[in-house]
Coordinates of all heavy atoms in Angstrom, one line a residue:
S284 N 21.6 16.8 3.5 CA 21.6 15.8 2.4 C 20.3 15.8 1.7 O 19.3 16.0 2.3 CB 21.9 14.4 3.0 OG 23.2 14.3 3.6
P285 N 20.3 15.6 0.4 CA 19.1 15.5 -0.4 C 18.3 14.3 0.2 O 18.8 13.4 0.7 CB 19.5 15.3 -1.8 CG 21.0 15.8 -1.8 CD 21.5 15.5 -0.5
P286 N 17.0 14.3 -0.1 CA 16.1 13.3 0.5 C 16.2 12.0 -0.2 O 16.3 11.9 -1.5 CB 14.7 13.9 0.4 CG 14.8 14.8 -0.7 CD 16.2 15.4 -0.7
G287 N 16.0 10.9 0.5 CA 15.7 9.6 -0.1 C 14.2 9.4 -0.2 O 13.5 10.3 0.2
V288 N 13.8 8.3 -0.9 CA 12.4 8.1 -1.1 C 12.0 6.7 -0.8 O 12.9 5.8 -0.7 CB 12.0 8.4 -2.6 CG1 12.1 9.9 -2.9 CG2 12.8 7.6 -3.5
M289 N 10.8 6.4 -0.5 CA 10.3 5.1 -0.2 C 8.9 4.9 -0.8 O 8.2 5.9 -1.1 CB 10.2 4.9 1.3 CG 9.9 3.4 1.7 SD 11.2 2.3 1.0 CE 10.6 0.8 1.6
I290 N 8.5 3.7 -1.1 CA 7.2 3.4 -1.7 C 6.3 2.7 -0.7 O 6.7 2.0 0.2 CB 7.3 2.6 -3.0 CG1 8.0 1.3 -2.7 CG2 8.0 3.4 -4.1 CD1 7.9 0.3 -3.9
R291 N 5.0 2.8 -1.0 CA 4.0 2.0 -0.3 C 3.0 1.5 -1.4 O 2.7 2.3 -2.3 CB 3.2 2.8 0.7 CG 4.0 3.2 1.9 CD 4.3 2.0 2.8 NE 5.0 2.5 4.1 CZ 6.2 2.8 4.2 NH1 7.0 2.7 3.1 NH2 6.7 3.1 5.4
P292 N 2.6 0.2 -1.4 CA 2.8 -0.8 -0.4 C 4.3 -1.3 -0.4 O 4.9 -1.3 -1.5 CB 1.8 -1.9 -0.7 CG 1.7 -1.8 -2.2 CD 1.7 -0.3 -2.5
Y293 N 4.7 -1.7 0.7 CA 6.0 -2.4 0.8 C 5.9 -3.6 1.7 O 5.8 -3.5 2.9 CB 7.1 -1.4 1.4 CG 8.4 -2.1 1.6 CD1 9.2 -2.4 0.5 CD2 8.9 -2.4 2.9 CE1 10.5 -3.0 0.7 CE2 10.1 -3.0 3.0 CZ 10.9 -3.3 1.9 OH 12.1 -3.9 2.1
L294 N 5.8 -4.7 1.0 CA 5.5 -6.0 1.8 C 6.7 -7.0 1.7 O 7.2 -7.4 2.7 CB 4.2 -6.6 1.3 CG 2.9 -5.9 1.4 CD1 1.8 -6.7 0.9 CD2 2.7 -5.6 2.9
N295 N 7.0 -7.3 0.5 CA 8.0 -8.4 0.3 C 9.2 -7.9 -0.6 O 9.4 -8.4 -1.7 CB 7.4 -9.6 -0.3 CG 6.3 -10.2 0.6 OD1 6.5 -10.4 1.8 ND2 5.1 -10.3 0.0
G296 N 9.9 -6.9 -0.1 CA 10.9 -6.3 -0.9 C 10.3 -5.4 -2.0 O 9.2 -4.9 -1.9
F297 N 11.0 -5.2 -3.1 CA 10.7 -4.2 -4.1 C 10.1 -4.8 -5.3 O 10.3 -4.3 -6.4 CB 11.9 -3.3 -4.4 CG 12.2 -2.4 -3.2 CD1 13.3 -2.8 -2.4 CD2 11.5 -1.2 -3.0 CE1 13.6 -2.0 -1.3 CE2 11.9 -0.5 -1.9 CZ 12.9 -0.8 -1.0
T298 N 9.4 -6.0 -5.1 CA 8.7 -6.6 -6.2 C 7.2 -6.6 -5.9 O 6.9 -7.2 -4.8 CB 9.2 -8.0 -6.5 OG1 10.6 -7.9 -7.0 CG2 8.4 -8.7 -7.6
I299 N 6.4 -6.1 -6.7 CA 5.0 -6.1 -6.5 C 4.4 -7.0 -7.6 O 4.4 -6.7 -8.8 CB 4.4 -4.7 -6.6 CG1 4.9 -3.8 -5.4 CG2 2.8 -4.7 -6.6 CD1 4.4 -2.4 -5.5
A300 N 4.0 -8.2 -7.2 CA 3.6 -9.2 -8.2 C 2.2 -9.8 -7.7 O 2.0 -10.1 -6.6 CB 4.6 -10.3 -8.2
F301 N 1.3 -9.9 -8.7 CA 0.0 -10.4 -8.4 C -0.7 -10.8 -9.7 O -0.3 -10.4 -10.8 CB -0.9 -9.4 -7.7 CG -1.1 -8.1 -8.5 CD1 -2.3 -7.9 -9.2 CD2 -0.2 -7.0 -8.4 CE1 -2.5 -6.8 -9.9 CE2 -0.5 -5.9 -9.1 CZ -1.6 -5.7 -9.9
N302 N -1.8 -11.6 -9.6 CA -2.6 -12.0 -10.7 C -4.0 -11.3 -10.5 O -4.6 -11.5 -9.5 CB -2.8 -13.5 -10.8 CG -1.4 -14.2 -11.2 OD1 -0.6 -13.6 -11.9 ND2 -1.2 -15.3 -10.6
V303 N -4.4 -10.6 -11.5 CA -5.7 -9.9 -11.4 C -6.9 -10.9 -11.1 O -7.8 -10.5 -10.3 CB -6.0 -9.2 -12.8 CG1 -7.4 -8.5 -12.7 CG2 -4.9 -8.1 -13.0
S304 N -6.8 -12.1 -11.7 CA -7.9 -13.0 -11.5 C -7.9 -13.7 -10.1 O -8.8 -14.5 -9.8 CB -7.9 -14.0 -12.6 OG -6.7 -14.7 -12.6
Q305 N -6.9 -13.5 -9.3 CA -6.7 -14.1 -8.0 C -6.6 -13.1 -6.9 O -5.5 -12.6 -6.6 CB -5.5 -15.0 -8.0 CG -5.5 -16.2 -9.0 CD -4.2 -17.0 -9.0 OE1 -3.2 -16.5 -9.3 NE2 -4.3 -18.3 -8.7
P306 N -7.7 -12.7 -6.4 CA -7.7 -11.6 -5.3 C -6.8 -11.9 -4.2 O -6.3 -10.9 -3.6 CB -9.2 -11.6 -4.9 CG -10.0 -12.1 -6.1 CD -9.1 -13.2 -6.7
T307 N -6.6 -13.1 -3.8 CA -5.7 -13.4 -2.7 C -4.3 -13.0 -3.0 O -3.5 -12.7 -2.0 CB -5.7 -14.9 -2.4 OG1 -5.3 -15.7 -3.6 CG2 -7.0 -15.4 -1.9
T308 N -3.9 -12.8 -4.2 CA -2.5 -12.3 -4.5 C -2.4 -10.8 -4.4 O -1.3 -10.4 -4.2 CB -2.1 -12.8 -6.0 OG1 -3.0 -12.2 -6.9 CG2 -2.2 -14.3 -6.1
W309 N -3.5 -10.1 -4.6 CA -3.3 -8.6 -4.5 C -4.0 -8.0 -3.3 O -3.7 -6.9 -2.9 CB -3.9 -7.9 -5.8 CG -5.2 -8.3 -6.3 CD1 -5.5 -9.1 -7.4 CD2 -6.5 -7.9 -5.8 NE1 -6.8 -9.3 -7.6 CE2 -7.5 -8.5 -6.6 CE3 -6.9 -7.1 -4.7 CZ2 -8.9 -8.3 -6.4 CZ3 -8.3 -6.9 -4.5 CH2 -9.2 -7.5 -5.4
Q310 N -4.8 -8.8 -2.5 CA -5.5 -8.2 -1.4 C -4.5 -7.7 -0.3 O -4.7 -6.7 0.3 CB -6.4 -9.3 -0.8 CG -7.3 -8.7 0.3 CD -8.3 -7.6 -0.2 OE1 -8.9 -7.8 -1.3 NE2 -8.3 -6.5 0.4
P311 N -3.3 -8.4 0.0 CA -2.4 -7.9 0.9 C -1.9 -6.5 0.6 O -1.7 -5.7 1.5 CB -1.3 -8.9 0.9 CG -1.9 -10.2 0.5 CD -3.0 -9.8 -0.5
Y312 N -1.7 -6.2 -0.7 CA -1.2 -4.9 -1.1 C -2.3 -3.9 -0.8 O -2.0 -2.8 -0.3 CB -0.9 -4.9 -2.6 CG 0.2 -5.8 -3.0 CD1 0.0 -6.9 -3.8 CD2 1.5 -5.6 -2.5 CE1 1.1 -7.7 -4.2 CE2 2.6 -6.4 -2.9 CZ 2.3 -7.4 -3.7 OH 3.4 -8.3 -4.1
V313 N -3.6 -4.2 -1.1 CA -4.7 -3.3 -0.8 C -4.8 -3.0 0.7 O -5.0 -1.9 1.1 CB -6.0 -3.9 -1.4 CG1 -7.2 -3.1 -1.0 CG2 -5.9 -4.0 -2.9
D314 N -4.8 -4.1 1.5 CA -4.9 -3.9 2.9 C -3.8 -3.0 3.5 O -4.0 -2.1 4.3 CB -4.8 -5.3 3.6 CG -6.0 -6.1 3.3 OD1 -7.1 -5.6 2.9 OD2 -6.0 -7.4 3.5
S315 N -2.6 -3.2 2.9 CA -1.4 -2.4 3.4 C -1.6 -0.9 3.0 O -1.3 0.0 3.8 CB -0.1 -2.9 2.7 OG 1.0 -2.0 3.0
M316 N -2.2 -0.6 1.8 CA -2.5 0.7 1.4 C -3.5 1.4 2.3 O -3.3 2.6 2.7 CB -2.9 0.7 0.0 CG -1.9 0.3 -1.0 SD -0.8 1.7 -1.5 CE -1.7 2.5 -2.8
H317 N -4.6 0.7 2.6 CA -5.6 1.2 3.5 C -5.1 1.5 4.9 O -5.4 2.6 5.5 CB -6.8 0.3 3.6 CG -7.8 0.4 2.4 ND1 -8.5 1.5 2.1 CD2 -8.1 -0.5 1.5 CE1 -9.2 1.3 1.1 NE2 -9.0 0.1 0.6
H318 N -4.3 0.6 5.4 CA -3.7 0.8 6.7 C -2.8 2.1 6.7 O -2.8 2.9 7.6 CB -2.9 -0.4 7.1 CG -2.2 -0.3 8.4 ND1 -2.9 -0.3 9.6 CD2 -0.9 -0.1 8.8 CE1 -2.0 -0.2 10.6 NE2 -0.8 0.0 10.1
F319 N -2.0 2.2 5.7 CA -1.0 3.3 5.6 C -1.8 4.7 5.5 O -1.4 5.7 6.1 CB -0.1 3.2 4.4 CG 0.8 4.3 4.2 CD1 1.9 4.5 5.0 CD2 0.6 5.2 3.1 CE1 2.8 5.6 4.9 CE2 1.5 6.3 2.9 CZ 2.6 6.5 3.8
L320 N -2.9 4.7 4.7 CA -3.6 5.9 4.4 C -4.6 6.3 5.5 O -5.3 7.3 5.4 CB -4.3 5.8 3.1 CG -3.4 5.9 1.8 CD1 -4.2 5.7 0.6 CD2 -2.7 7.3 1.8
A321 N -4.7 5.5 6.5 CA -5.7 5.8 7.6 C -5.4 7.1 8.2 O -6.4 7.9 8.5 CB -5.7 4.7 8.7
A322 N -4.2 7.5 8.4 CA -3.8 8.8 9.0 C -4.1 9.9 8.0 O -4.1 11.1 8.5 CB -2.3 8.8 9.3
Y323 N -4.4 9.6 6.8 CA -4.6 10.7 5.8 C -6.1 10.8 5.5 O -6.5 11.6 4.6 CB -3.9 10.3 4.5 CG -2.4 10.4 4.5 CD1 -1.7 9.3 5.0 CD2 -1.7 11.6 4.1 CE1 -0.3 9.4 5.0 CE2 -0.4 11.7 4.2 CZ 0.4 10.6 4.6 OH 1.7 10.6 4.7
D324 N -7.0 10.1 6.2 CA -8.4 10.2 6.0 C -8.8 11.7 6.1 O -8.3 12.4 7.0 CB -9.2 9.4 7.1 CG -9.2 7.9 6.7 OD1 -8.8 7.6 5.6 OD2 -9.5 7.1 7.6
D325 N -9.7 12.1 5.3 CA -10.1 13.5 5.2 C -10.5 14.1 6.6 O -10.2 15.2 7.0 CB -11.2 13.8 4.2 CG -10.7 13.6 2.8 OD1 -9.6 13.0 2.6 OD2 -11.3 14.2 1.9
K326 N -11.4 13.3 7.3 CA -11.9 13.7 8.6 C -10.7 13.9 9.6 O -10.7 14.8 10.4 CB -12.9 12.8 9.1 CG -14.2 12.9 8.3 CD -15.3 12.0 8.9 CE -16.6 12.1 8.2 NZ -17.7 11.3 8.8
V327 N -9.8 12.9 9.6 CA -8.7 13.0 10.5 C -7.8 14.2 10.3 O -7.4 14.9 11.2 CB -7.8 11.7 10.4 CG1 -6.5 11.8 11.2 CG2 -8.6 10.5 10.8
Q328 N -7.6 14.5 9.0 CA -6.8 15.7 8.6 C -7.5 17.0 9.0 O -6.9 17.9 9.5 CB -6.4 15.7 7.2 CG -5.4 14.6 6.7 CD -4.1 14.9 7.3 OE1 -3.5 16.0 7.2 NE2 -3.5 13.9 7.9
E329 N -8.8 17.0 8.8 CA -9.6 18.2 9.1 C -9.6 18.5 10.6 O -9.6 19.6 11.1 CB -11.0 18.1 8.6 CG -11.1 18.2 7.1 CD -12.4 17.8 6.6 OE1 -13.3 17.5 7.4 OE2 -12.6 17.8 5.3

């Protein structure tokens, strides 16, 4: 079968909502991205 796809960050369904002036609204997305990309760190991959 052809492949399906998925996105990151994925926290609360498929709506990514935040206010630029309120860091508390976007920080969870940022933390999720860093956590996901830890396995992709250049040193880890090398």
Side-chain angles (χ1 to χ4, degrees):
S284 298
V288 293
M289 191 57 183
I290 59 170
R291 294 290 188 278
Y293 176 72
L294 296 180
N295 303 305
F297 293 97
T298 296
I299 295 176
F301 62 95
N302 294 322
V303 176
S304 60
Q305 297 177 298
T307 55
T308 63
W309 48 257
Q310 192 62 48
Y312 298 116
V313 171
D314 292 342
S315 176
M316 292 278 277
H317 278 295
H318 178 75
F319 177 73
L320 286 174
Y323 292 85
D324 283 346
D325 287 22
K326 288 185 177 179
V327 173
Q328 288 293 311
E329 289 169 0

